[in-house]
Amino acid sequence: MMSRMPFLRCNERVLSVLVASEVLRPFTDKLCDRVAKLKVGHGLDEGVTVGPLINADAVRKVAAQVEDATIKGATVVTGGKSIENRFFEPTVLSDVDPSMLCCSQETFGPLVPLIPFSSPAEALSLANDSSAGLAAYLYSRDLGLAWRVAEGLEYGMVGVNEGVISSALGPFGGMKESGLGREGSKFGLDEYLEVKYICLGLGPTVDGLPGMP
C-alpha cells in the first residue's frame, strides 16, 4: 500500500492511497471499520477525533471532489456528506482513478480515495503522476522491494512502514512544485551559507617540484 496519512489534521497530507488489487477488499473493509469509529465534533469534547474544516469554502471543496468522483464512477463506501458548522463526514471512496479531482487537488478534508494497482511498477507510475512531490508513504513486508520503490518515488521525503516521518534530524522538503531546498538537519544550514570558489595560481614551474595540475 502506498499513500501520497488519512485524516491527519483533516487530511492535510493525502492526495490518494494506492492499494494492491489482491488486498483491496479486505483493506477497504478494515479501513471503513476504523473510520466508522471516528467521532466528528468540537475538538474540546471528549472522544472527538475529527474536527471542523477551516471555512465553508473548504467544505464545499471536499463536497465537490466527492461529487466529481462519483460522477466519474467512484463509489462512496462510507461518509460523503457535509455536516453543519463546517464539518464533513470522514469519507472513503473506492473505484477511484487518476482523472478525478481528488487525485490532483489537495483536499484538506477527511477524504481518502482508494486506487488499486496490479504491480509495483504501476503503483510507482501512479504515485509519480503528480505535479507535487513533498512526501509519500509506503508499506510492505518486502524491504528490498520497498527500498527500490522508495528510490523511484519522486518525492523529497518517503516514509517506509512509518506514517510520522518529521524529525529535526531529517531534511524537510520536496521535489517538483513542492519547492526547492531543505529545512532541518545539516542540509538546512545550506540556505544560510554562501559558497565561495577560490582558484590559486602556484606560479611558474620549479625544477624538481610538481607543476600545476
Side-chain angles (χ1 to χ4, degrees), residues 66-128:
V66 172
E67 181 180 15
D68 170 80
T70 54
I71 289 174
K72 294 178 180 177
T75 301
V76 177
V77 186
T78 187
K81 298 178 181 178
S82 60
I83 311 172
E84 62 179 354
N85 296 328
R86 302 198 307 274
F87 294 94
F88 201 94
E89 294 178 332
T91 302
V92 177
L93 298 177
S94 66
D95 306 310
V96 175
D97 67 65
S99 69
M100 300 173 184
L101 289 177
C102 57
C103 294
S104 59
Q105 291 181 346
E106 286 190 292
T107 303
F108 293 101
L111 172 63
V112 178
L114 301 179
I115 303 178
F117 66 86
S118 57
S119 68
E122 182 186 14
L124 192 59
S125 177
L126 288 168
N128 287 337

Side-chain angles (χ1 to χ4, degrees), residues 33-47:
D33 287 343
R34 296 289 295 271
V35 170
K37 297 176 182 178
L38 297 175
K39 182 179 179 180
V40 179
H42 193 289
L44 296 180
D45 292 345
E46 185 176 355

Side-chain angles (χ1 to χ4, degrees), residues 135-179:
Y137 309 82
L138 67 96
Y139 294 82
S140 175
R141 292 178 179 175
D142 185 339
L143 292 184
L145 174 62
W147 191 268
R148 292 193 294 273
V149 172
E151 286 189 323
L153 285 167
E154 296 170 357
Y155 291 79
M157 301 177 291
V158 179
V160 179
N161 296 338
E162 178 58 64
V164 181
I165 62 176
S166 295
S167 167
L169 302 177
F172 181 95
M175 298 181 179
K176 297 182 281 191
E177 292 184 11
S178 291

Side-chain angles (χ1 to χ4, degrees), residues 175-188:
M175 298 181 179
K176 297 182 281 191
E177 292 184 11
S178 291
L180 300 172
R182 294 295 183 267
E183 296 179 356
S185 82
K186 65 178 183 180
F187 300 103

